[in-house]
């Protein structure tokens, strides 16, 4: 799906399809150099990181094993979460392995910290994190590979969704508030009609 198909829902495009592809290639080159001569296990975080995990792996010029973890974060609304729940565990043993976690967006850093703690306890030889998009609330989290720093807000596209929609948007964009804030939608409608806002 192109940006033009949902243009009224988008406040701004944060990264175009071409910019994302170029940045993924750059990250892949760094990862390939860092893990030269070592077997790499990539752990993709479902569902938001499915697209970037596959594209990143395809950009590598080497064999790589991929496994998946399903995570649900919940408890604090749109801007971040208060807790993390494991929905699907990886199906391989990470003990003694070189492990790279790949996530689509790092919001508050809670999920990233939970994943690092959970997998580190399983005894990997090394453990690093790659996040394609990072919001301001996660700046203090130590992430080795970061694609783009993006502003706060609801970020969708390139695998990231809002209520199950927009994952197939080719770019990454920040949603317009009227999509997820009822009060903003009411204000937008009232302004369009030229009338006062209802109290």
């Amino acid at each position: 799906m192109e940006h033009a198909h949902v243009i009224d829902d988008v406040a701004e495009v944060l990264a175009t399809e071409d910019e994302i592809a170029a940045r993924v290639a750059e990250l892949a080159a760094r990862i390939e150099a860092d893990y030269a001569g070592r077997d790499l296990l990539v752990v993709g975080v479902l569902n938001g990181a499915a697209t970037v995990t596959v594209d990143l792996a395809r950009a590598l010029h080497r064999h790589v094993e991929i496994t998946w973890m399903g995570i649900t974060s919940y408890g604090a609304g749109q801007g971040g979460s208060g807790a993390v729940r494991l929905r699907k565990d990886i199906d391989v043993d990470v003990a003694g392995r070189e492990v790279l976690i790949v996530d689509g967006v790092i919001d508050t850093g809670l999920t990233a910290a939970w994943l690092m703690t959970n997998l580190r306890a399983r005894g990997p030889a090394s453990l690093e994190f790659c996040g394609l998009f990072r919001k301001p609330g996660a700046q203090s989290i130590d992430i080795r590979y970061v694609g783009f720093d993006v502003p706060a807000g609801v970020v969708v596209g390139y695998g990231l969704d809002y209520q199950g929609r927009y994952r197939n948007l080719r770019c990454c964009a920040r949603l317009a508030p009227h999509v997820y804030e009822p009060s903003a939608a009411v204000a937008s409608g009232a302004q369009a009609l030229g009338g006062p806002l209802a109290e």
Side-chain angles (χ1 to χ4, degrees):
M1 181 169 65
E2 304 289 346
H3 168 231
H5 298 143
V6 289
I7 194 167
D8 291 339
D9 294 352
V10 170
E12 64 176 316
V13 172
L14 302 174
T16 66
E17 182 180 7
D18 289 344
E19 289 170 339
I20 293 170
R23 187 61 179 141
V24 168
E26 291 173 358
L27 290 172
R30 281 186 56 199
I31 291 165
E32 192 156 358
D34 290 348
Y35 289 90
R38 296 187 285 167
D39 289 331
L40 179 61
L41 173 64
V42 173
V43 178
V45 182
L46 298 172
N47 290 317
T51 304
V52 64
T53 300
V54 172
D55 283 354
L56 184 66
R58 292 174 63 193
L60 295 170
H61 301 154
R62 51 171 293 164
H63 291 295
V64 63
E65 185 177 355
I66 303 174
T67 188
W68 304 95
M69 275 185 108
I71 300 296
T72 299
S73 55
Y74 60 96
Q78 294 292 341
S81 301
V84 177
R85 182 180 66 192
L86 178 65
R87 292 188 294 108
K88 180 200 177 300
D89 204 355
I90 54 176
D91 51 12
V92 297
D93 185 3
V94 303
R97 303 287 303 271
E98 312 282 351
V99 179
L100 175 66
I101 303 168
V102 179
D103 204 353
V105 63
I106 309 165
D107 197 330
T108 62
L110 174 70
T111 299
W114 188 93
L115 286 164
M116 293 290 283
T117 299
N118 183 284
L119 290 179
R120 189 175 286 118
R122 307 186 195 195
S126 70
L127 182 63
E128 297 292 350
F129 203 100
C130 174
L132 186 59
F133 303 106
R134 178 175 62 180
K135 293 186 183 180
Q139 293 289 342
S140 61
I141 304 298
D142 184 22
I143 304 297
R144 185 173 182 86
Y145 306 102
V146 176
F148 301 88
D149 282 310
V150 297
V154 179
V155 177
V156 296
Y158 196 70
L160 305 176
D161 78 314
Y162 173 69
Q163 294 188 342
R165 305 178 74 181
Y166 306 99
R167 287 196 196 280
N168 59 326
L169 182 61
R170 291 177 176 271
C171 64
C172 175
R174 183 170 59 85
L175 274 187
H178 74 80
V179 176
Y180 56 90
E181 293 179 359
S183 60
V186 170
S188 177
Q191 289 169 352
L193 294 171
L197 299 182
E199 294 186 8

